[in-house]
Amino acid sequence: MAGHLAKNPLLLLQPRRLCTAAASSSAAAGELAPSPAVKEIPRDDDLAEESRNRLVRDTCKLLELRGSWTPKLEAQLRHLLRVLSPPQVRAVLRAQAQTDARAAFEFFRWADRQWRYRHAPEVFDEMLSLLSRTRLHDPARRVMRLMMRRRMRRGTQQFAHLMLSYSRAGKLRSAMRVLQLMQKDGCAPDISICNVAVNVLVFAGRIDKALEFSDRMRRVGVEPDVVTYNCLIKGLCSVRRVVEALEMIGVMLQNGCPPDKITYYTVMGFLCKEKRVAEVRALLGRMRNDAGLFPDQVTYNMLIHVLAKHGHADEALEFLRESEGKRFRVDEVGYSAVVHSFCLNGRMAEAKEIVGEMISKECHPDVVTYSAVVDGFCRVGEIDQARKMMKHMYKNGCKPNIVTHTALLNGLCKAGKTSEAWELLNNSGEEWWTPSDITYSVVMHGFRREGKLKESCDVVAQMLQKGFFPTTVEINLLIHALCKEGKPAEAKDFMEQCQSKGCTINVINFTTVIHGFSRQGDLESALSLLDDLYLSNRHPDVVTYTVVVNALGKKGRLKEATELVKKMLNRGIVPTLVTYRTVIHRYCEKGTVEELLDLLDKMLARQELKSVYNQVIEKLCALGKINEAYSLLSKVLRTASQRDAQTCHILMESFLNRGLAVQSYNVACQMFQRNLIPDIKLCRKVDNQLTSKKQPAAGKLMVKFLERGLLKQEK
């Protein structure tokens, strides 16, 4: 891709292309220069007014029924289309794009094909603008082609929308080729399209290409502006090249492009994340002295929030004090950020002190501030203090919300008092607050951690009655806990109950229950659930098959296991390393090596694994079946790798441990034939055993080492 970028975006900006749109009078130029008689495009507030028009609302209502359209409804829509003005059509497109940009594009296409109707240029612009906020690059390209065929006015703004669509879809090469398309169309690049290109490169992480692009801009007469530099500085900070970002601020001043506050805020934000407060203060001085920009309340608010967000509470408080010293007003939002940061660090004394300071300064803490303190006390296990803070809220006229109550329940659950939390949840109606799905999840996980699985299932049941649905991860955690306690039947019933209530059940949930039945040895239930998984159109994955194959092999039902593996391969599922290990272990355990080799050949045809025969030999050695392992040695020595040498050493050790030095000697000789050097210490053990038994092969291994000059190196 780097080669293409070097060819396209950076070589596209040629000086001969920098002609004005008015200089091209040919029809192929597509009427780039807008006529003075062309009306201005309506502003957003005008479109907001048009969206309340009755014609626009009726059109949107008809479009909502497009799933059950009839010729009569289409005729009504066609009639409305002919009386809609271009701003009203834009309002319809914008209303449709709020829910689905594809629906807006389909209406755009349908309307353009109607008799005696043709989209106005501003409608094309609106459609491109809406598509630029999505990943729908193909519809944007089709709109642009239609504009070219009709020779409608086109400028850099329209091409920028197309470039953004490609960028959001992750098609960087196509996005940068828009520059080439634009220049072929006779449109000269200006600063706006160049800024979009720089931003696209920065967003894709190609900061070096973005810097190179900005240099090329200057060469062809397009001077970078403050927006260009801000994009580049943001990109440099994102890749932690803050020194270059600071140097670029100096370059801006040298080139006569004064940086704005956003320029400095971008670098300050990165420095705050790294807790480099001294450099932040130095940059504040540069901002004041070099650019004449004085820190204001917005500056301090930014510093306070960024520092607090990243857990640097002391530094955030320091800037808050400095802001107050300069008589800037710090509101409850700024104080809340510092309080929340102290609470996350477990420093509740400081957080409580700041809350008291807020009250003394008549800056009344809001529910967000109090909720942060309640959550902080619960994090450090001080539940009584959290309760007192909630009472303090009521005294100060601040009613706790769902977040506050959920924080308290979470603290009770973590303290092992889930039953008390469950009681408070059931009494929520008396306290005039309504639990959310997160509230129920907190209590459900509390019971699960305490091992009270029945109560946890009761929470989920009540959760379903209230119209809340647990996630698949939460369901799986509870299923796994039930299976771990040896209750797979209850886990299955719980899963089916959730499924009947409309919860999303995935393959992982089924696999967990199947694994639970398999661990108990109830293979019939596991196989039955596997069939149910087929019938529900949820295709089992490789983990599901591996679990069942392992259970079948453990029970000695290798024929069924073989058929199941074949079914898995026929369905196009690729075996993993765990699948290979499971099959090898179970078949070697039963000594059915021939069946194992046949099955491995079928598995290798689907997914190659170089070390598969090494694993077979090592497993057979571990199980004491060394003769079967020796018969497979030729399959291992085909590649003659270091991994093969390790396998041969394991086989030699196995023979030696059983006093079979001759067989171990034969393995070493085969290694020498394949230019693999056996371990010399192991070969000495073999030679000593051969000598003690007065075998003819005694001493021959040492001779082979001596011939290769390896024996001296060992000494």
Side-chain angles (χ1 to χ4, degrees):
M1 184 182 289
H4 286 281
L5 287 174
K7 294 177 183 177
N8 292 329
L10 303 175
L11 298 179
L12 290 174
L13 298 175
Q14 302 295 337
R16 60 187 178 85
R17 294 283 190 185
L18 289 171
C19 56
T20 61
S24 178
S25 59
S26 64
E31 300 176 10
L32 289 172
S35 172
V38 176
K39 297 181 181 179
E40 292 185 1
I41 297 177
R43 298 190 301 262
D44 286 346
D45 53 353
D46 295 332
L47 280 184
E49 185 176 347
E50 292 290 353
S51 64
R52 293 188 289 270
N53 188 284
R54 182 176 179 179
L55 292 174
V56 174
R57 288 189 281 111
D58 290 344
T59 304
C60 292
K61 287 180 182 179
L62 283 175
L63 289 174
E64 290 175 1
L65 302 173
R66 59 181 173 270
S68 57
W69 259 12
T70 63
K72 182 179 179 180
L73 291 177
E74 188 170 359
Q76 292 178 12
L77 186 61
R78 193 179 296 114
H79 174 73
L80 286 171
L81 178 65
R82 289 170 184 164
V83 296
L84 288 174
S85 65
Q88 291 169 343
V89 176
R90 292 181 62 208
V92 172
L93 290 174
R94 187 169 293 189
Q96 293 296 303
Q98 288 179 354
T99 55
D100 187 3
R102 290 183 179 86
F105 178 67
E106 289 301 322
F107 170 69
F108 176 86
R109 289 182 59 205
W110 175 86
D112 194 64
R113 293 195 298 265
Q114 301 309 306
W115 182 58
R116 297 178 63 184
Y117 176 83
R118 186 61 63 90
H119 283 312
E122 56 263 36
V123 178
F124 278 88
D125 294 342
E126 182 68 28
M127 190 71 253
L128 280 174
S129 175
L130 294 172
L131 291 172
S132 69
R133 303 167 194 170
T134 68
R135 299 180 179 182
L136 304 177
H137 59 87
D138 190 60
R141 178 178 56 83
R142 292 165 70 177
V143 172
M144 181 62 75
R145 283 186 175 180
L146 187 58
M147 293 180 71
M148 290 180 177
R149 284 202 301 268
R150 294 183 182 175
R151 298 184 177 180
M152 302 177 69
R153 59 175 177 81
R154 299 176 301 281
T156 54
Q157 183 180 6
Q158 286 74 30
F159 286 101
H161 290 324
L162 180 60
M163 183 182 290
L164 286 172
S165 295
Y166 277 118
S167 174
R168 292 183 187 278
K171 296 183 175 293
L172 178 61
R173 187 185 305 176
S174 300
M176 303 311 296
R177 282 178 178 171
V178 172
L179 290 172
Q180 188 177 24
L181 174 66
M182 182 183 72
Q183 291 183 326
K184 285 182 179 179
D185 196 47
C187 181
D190 61 6
I191 188 61
S192 63
I193 189 72
C194 290
N195 284 341
V196 173
V198 169
N199 190 48
V200 164
L201 290 168
V202 169
F203 183 76
R206 309 296 296 276
I207 183 61
D208 291 324
K209 287 295 179 184
L211 293 169
E212 189 178 348
F213 188 91
S214 65
D215 292 338
R216 183 58 61 92
M217 285 170 54
R218 194 176 294 108
R219 293 177 198 169
V220 298
V222 181
E223 284 295 327
D225 61 1
V226 65
V227 177
T228 316
Y229 285 111
N230 285 348
C231 288
L232 294 172
I233 289 172
K234 181 180 179 181
L236 289 169
C237 290
S238 65
V239 294
R240 308 177 69 84
R241 292 160 62 175
V242 67
V243 176
E244 296 178 53
L246 292 170
E247 291 174 354
M248 185 163 288
I249 294 178
V251 171
M252 293 177 68
L253 294 168
Q254 293 174 3
N255 293 339
C257 179
D260 58 7
K261 287 189 177 180
I262 296 176
T263 312
Y264 289 100
Y265 290 171
T266 303
V267 184
M268 286 180 191
F270 173 79
L271 294 174
C272 287
K273 293 178 186 177
E274 300 289 319
K275 200 179 177 180
R276 295 158 67 172
V277 179
E279 295 177 61
V280 171
R281 294 193 177 279
L283 193 57
L284 284 171
R286 286 183 58 181
M287 183 176 78
R288 181 175 52 253
N289 299 329
D290 298 344
L293 300 173
F294 291 88
D296 55 10
Q297 185 171 347
V298 177
T299 309
Y300 282 101
N301 284 343
M302 183 274 298
L303 295 173
I304 291 169
H305 281 277
V306 175
L307 286 167
K309 180 181 178 181
H310 292 87
H312 311 314
D314 291 317
E315 290 75 14
L317 182 60
E318 183 181 343
F319 277 106
L320 187 145
R321 300 297 186 210
E322 185 177 328
S323 174
E324 290 178 331
K326 294 186 177 182
R327 297 188 178 277
F328 292 132
R329 182 182 179 275
V330 181
D331 58 7
E332 63 274 7
V333 179
Y335 278 107
S336 296
V338 180
V339 169
H340 184 62
S341 184
F342 275 121
C343 292
L344 288 178
N345 294 331
R347 299 166 62 181
M348 299 310 301
E350 291 91 337
K352 195 174 179 180
E353 182 181 347
I354 294 176
V355 173
E357 181 184 336
M358 291 176 66
I359 297 173
S360 65
K361 292 181 178 179
E362 295 186 355
C363 178
H364 300 291
D366 57 7
V367 67
V368 177
T369 312
Y370 281 117
S371 298
V373 178
V374 170
D375 182 58
F377 278 124
C378 291
R379 284 174 180 269
V380 297
E382 298 182 13
I383 307 299
D384 294 335
Q385 291 294 329
R387 292 179 186 273
K388 289 180 181 179
M389 184 57 66
M390 291 184 70
K391 292 179 181 178
H392 189 68
M393 290 178 68
Y394 282 112
K395 288 181 181 179
N396 287 284
C398 184
K399 183 182 177 182
N401 61 7
I402 299 176
V403 178
T404 319
H405 286 286
T406 303
L408 179 61
L409 296 183
N410 189 36
L412 288 169
C413 292
K414 288 185 176 179
K417 301 178 180 179
T418 310
S419 299
E420 186 177 348
W422 180 228
E423 184 179 352
L424 288 175
L425 179 61
N426 289 327
N427 295 332
S428 59
E430 299 176 4
E431 298 289 337
W432 295 93
W433 66 279
T434 305
S436 66
D437 55 341
I438 298 175
T439 314
Y440 281 103
S441 297
V442 164
V443 179
M444 185 265 287
H445 286 300
F447 278 127
R448 181 183 59 81
R449 286 191 295 266
E450 293 178 14
K452 299 177 180 179
L453 301 182
K454 183 180 181 302
E455 290 83 352
S456 188
C457 292
D458 292 339
V459 174
V460 174
Q462 183 172 325
M463 186 178 181
L464 294 171
Q465 289 177 1
K466 297 291 184 180
F468 299 119
F469 296 99
T471 64
T472 54
V473 176
E474 292 171 340
I475 293 172
N476 201 64
L477 285 171
L478 196 48
I479 290 173
H480 178 71
L482 287 167
C483 292
K484 193 174 181 180
E485 285 201 352
K487 301 175 181 177
E490 294 182 24
K492 180 185 176 184
D493 294 338
F494 171 73
M495 182 181 70
E496 291 174 349
Q497 179 189 2
C498 292
Q499 189 175 9
S500 64
K501 296 291 184 179
C503 295
T504 303
I505 303 296
N506 58 17
V507 176
I508 298 175
N509 302 138
F510 274 92
T511 304
T512 306
V513 180
I514 290 172
H515 187 231
F517 280 120
S518 301
R519 288 178 63 182
Q520 274 201 335
D522 190 356
L523 292 182
E524 302 307 323
S525 298
L527 292 171
S528 174
L529 201 55
L530 185 63
D531 294 335
D532 293 342
L533 192 55
Y534 283 121
L535 296 175
S536 62
N537 292 325
R538 296 183 184 88
H539 301 293
D541 57 8
V542 64
V543 179
T544 315
Y545 281 108
T546 304
V547 166
V548 181
V549 167
N550 181 53
L552 290 169
K554 191 174 182 180
K555 289 291 184 179
R557 297 164 64 173
L558 296 181
K559 186 175 181 181
E560 295 176 63
T562 302
E563 293 301 321
L564 195 59
V565 172
K566 290 179 180 178
K567 182 186 283 189
M568 179 188 77
L569 297 174
N570 292 335
R571 290 180 176 272
I573 299 175
V574 178
T576 63
L577 183 61
V578 178
T579 313
Y580 276 107
R581 287 176 178 172
T582 302
V583 171
I584 289 170
H585 176 74
R586 293 306 175 192
Y587 279 78
C588 290
E589 191 177 41
K590 302 301 179 182
T592 55
V593 179
E594 294 298 328
E595 291 83 348
L596 172 62
L597 295 178
D598 293 339
L599 187 57
L600 288 177
D601 289 339
K602 292 181 174 62
M603 294 172 67
L604 290 169
R606 177 68 63 182
Q607 177 68 33
E608 184 178 358
L609 183 65
K610 294 181 179 180
S611 63
V612 61
Y613 292 111
N614 300 76
Q615 294 183 37
V616 175
I617 291 176
E618 291 167 10
K619 180 58 67 175
L620 288 171
C621 290
L623 295 172
K625 301 175 181 180
I626 53 178
N627 291 327
E628 291 87 344
Y630 183 73
S631 64
L632 299 175
L633 187 61
S634 59
K635 292 183 177 292
V636 167
L637 291 174
R638 290 175 182 174
T639 56
S641 64
Q642 190 62 34
R643 178 76 170 84
D644 299 337
Q646 295 174 3
T647 304
C648 292
H649 292 156
I650 292 173
L651 184 58
M652 290 173 65
E653 287 274 9
S654 299
F655 279 125
L656 278 178
N657 292 336
R658 286 162 179 77
L660 302 174
V662 176
Q663 287 84 342
S664 186
Y665 167 78
N666 293 334
V667 174
C669 290
Q670 292 188 45
M671 291 180 68
F672 277 118
Q673 291 175 5
R674 300 294 299 176
N675 291 325
L676 277 176
I677 306 302
D679 181 62
I680 192 167
K681 293 181 180 179
L682 183 59
C683 288
R684 278 180 173 154
K685 291 181 181 179
V686 175
D687 193 63
N688 291 336
Q689 200 171 111
L690 290 171
T691 303
S692 63
K693 293 184 178 182
K694 298 181 181 181
Q695 295 289 338
K700 291 185 178 180
L701 283 179
M702 295 299 104
V703 173
K704 292 181 181 292
F705 278 103
L706 192 61
E707 291 174 349
R708 288 166 173 77
L710 300 174
L711 199 57
K712 291 181 180 180
Q713 293 178 10
E714 174 67 17
K715 291 181 180 179

